Coordinates of all heavy atoms in Angstrom, one line a residue:
V2 N 17.7 -196.3 -75.5 CA 18.5 -196.7 -76.6 C 19.9 -196.1 -76.5 O 20.9 -196.8 -76.7 CB 17.9 -196.3 -78.0 CG1 18.8 -196.7 -79.1 CG2 16.5 -197.0 -78.1
G4 N 21.6 -195.4 -73.9 CA 22.3 -196.0 -72.9 C 23.0 -197.3 -73.3 O 24.0 -197.7 -72.7
E13 N 25.9 -189.5 -82.7 CA 24.5 -189.1 -82.8 C 24.4 -187.9 -83.7 O 25.1 -186.9 -83.6 CB 24.1 -188.8 -81.3 CG 22.6 -188.7 -81.2 CD 22.2 -188.5 -79.7 OE1 22.6 -189.3 -78.9 OE2 21.4 -187.6 -79.5
P20 N 14.1 -187.4 -85.5 CA 15.0 -186.6 -84.7 C 16.3 -187.2 -84.2 O 17.3 -186.5 -84.0 CB 14.1 -186.1 -83.6 CG 13.0 -187.1 -83.5 CD 12.8 -187.7 -84.8
S43 N 12.2 -203.5 -74.8 CA 11.1 -204.2 -74.3 C 9.9 -203.3 -74.0 O 10.1 -202.4 -73.2 CB 11.5 -205.1 -73.1 OG 10.5 -206.0 -72.7
I46 N 3.3 -204.0 -71.8 CA 1.9 -203.8 -72.1 C 1.0 -204.3 -71.0 O 1.1 -205.5 -70.6 CB 1.5 -204.4 -73.4 CG1 2.3 -203.8 -74.6 CG2 0.0 -204.2 -73.7 CD1 2.1 -204.5 -75.9
H48 N -2.8 -204.6 -69.2 CA -4.2 -204.5 -69.4 C -4.9 -205.2 -68.3 O -4.5 -206.4 -68.0 CB -4.7 -205.1 -70.7 CG -6.1 -205.0 -70.9 ND1 -6.8 -203.8 -71.1 CD2 -7.1 -206.0 -70.9 CE1 -8.1 -204.1 -71.2 NE2 -8.3 -205.4 -71.1
N54 N 5.3 -208.4 -72.1 CA 6.4 -207.7 -72.7 C 6.4 -208.0 -74.2 O 6.3 -209.1 -74.6 CB 7.7 -208.0 -72.1 CG 7.9 -207.5 -70.7 OD1 7.5 -206.3 -70.5 ND2 8.3 -208.3 -69.8
N61 N 13.6 -203.9 -85.8 CA 12.2 -203.5 -85.7 C 12.0 -202.1 -85.0 O 10.9 -201.7 -84.7 CB 11.3 -204.5 -84.9 CG 11.0 -205.7 -85.8 OD1 11.7 -206.7 -85.7 ND2 10.1 -205.6 -86.7
L73 N 16.3 -193.9 -85.2 CA 15.3 -194.5 -84.3 C 13.9 -194.2 -84.9 O 13.5 -193.1 -85.1 CB 15.4 -193.8 -82.9 CG 14.4 -194.3 -81.8 CD1 14.7 -195.7 -81.4 CD2 14.5 -193.4 -80.6
D77 N 8.0 -189.9 -80.3 CA 7.3 -189.5 -79.0 C 5.9 -188.9 -79.3 O 5.8 -187.9 -79.9 CB 8.2 -188.4 -78.4 CG 7.6 -187.9 -77.1 OD1 6.6 -188.5 -76.7 OD2 8.1 -186.9 -76.6
P82 N 0.6 -183.2 -81.8 CA -0.7 -182.7 -81.3 C -1.9 -183.6 -81.4 O -2.6 -183.7 -80.4 CB -0.9 -181.4 -82.1 CG 0.1 -181.3 -83.1 CD 1.2 -182.4 -82.9
L87 N -5.5 -187.5 -78.5 CA -6.3 -188.8 -78.4 C -5.7 -189.7 -77.3 O -6.3 -190.7 -77.0 CB -6.2 -189.5 -79.8 CG -6.9 -188.7 -80.9 CD1 -6.7 -189.4 -82.2 CD2 -8.4 -188.5 -80.6
I90 N -0.9 -194.7 -78.2 CA 0.4 -195.0 -78.8 C 0.1 -195.7 -80.1 O -0.7 -196.6 -80.2 CB 1.2 -195.8 -77.9 CG1 1.5 -195.0 -76.6 CG2 2.5 -196.3 -78.6 CD1 2.3 -195.9 -75.6
Q98 N 6.7 -205.4 -88.3 CA 7.3 -206.3 -89.3 C 7.6 -207.6 -88.6 O 8.3 -207.7 -87.6 CB 8.5 -205.8 -89.9 CG 8.3 -205.0 -91.2 CD 9.5 -204.2 -91.7 OE1 10.6 -204.7 -91.5 NE2 9.3 -203.1 -92.3
S108 N -12.1 -215.0 -75.8 CA -11.6 -214.6 -74.4 C -11.0 -213.1 -74.5 O -10.5 -212.7 -73.5 CB -10.5 -215.5 -74.0 OG -9.4 -215.6 -74.9
K120 N 7.2 -216.5 -94.8 CA 7.0 -218.0 -94.8 C 5.7 -218.3 -94.1 O 5.7 -219.0 -93.1 CB 8.2 -218.7 -94.1 CG 9.5 -218.4 -94.9 CD 10.6 -219.1 -94.2 CE 11.9 -218.8 -95.0 NZ 13.1 -219.1 -94.2
S130 N -0.6 -223.7 -81.6 CA 0.1 -223.9 -80.4 C -0.2 -222.8 -79.4 O 0.0 -223.0 -78.2 CB 1.6 -224.1 -80.6 OG 2.2 -222.8 -80.9
R131 N -0.6 -221.7 -79.8 CA -0.8 -220.5 -78.9 C -2.3 -220.4 -78.5 O -2.5 -219.7 -77.5 CB -0.4 -219.2 -79.6 CG 1.1 -219.1 -79.9 CD 1.8 -218.9 -78.7 NE 3.2 -219.1 -78.9 CZ 4.2 -218.2 -78.5 NH1 3.9 -217.1 -77.9 NH2 5.5 -218.5 -78.7

Side-chain angles (χ1 to χ4, degrees):
V2 176
E13 197 174 309
S43 189
I46 299 176
H48 178 67
N54 288 315
N61 285 100
L73 181 67
D77 177 9
L87 297 173
I90 295 176
Q98 269 171 30
S108 58
K120 296 182 182 162
S130 72
R131 295 287 166 131

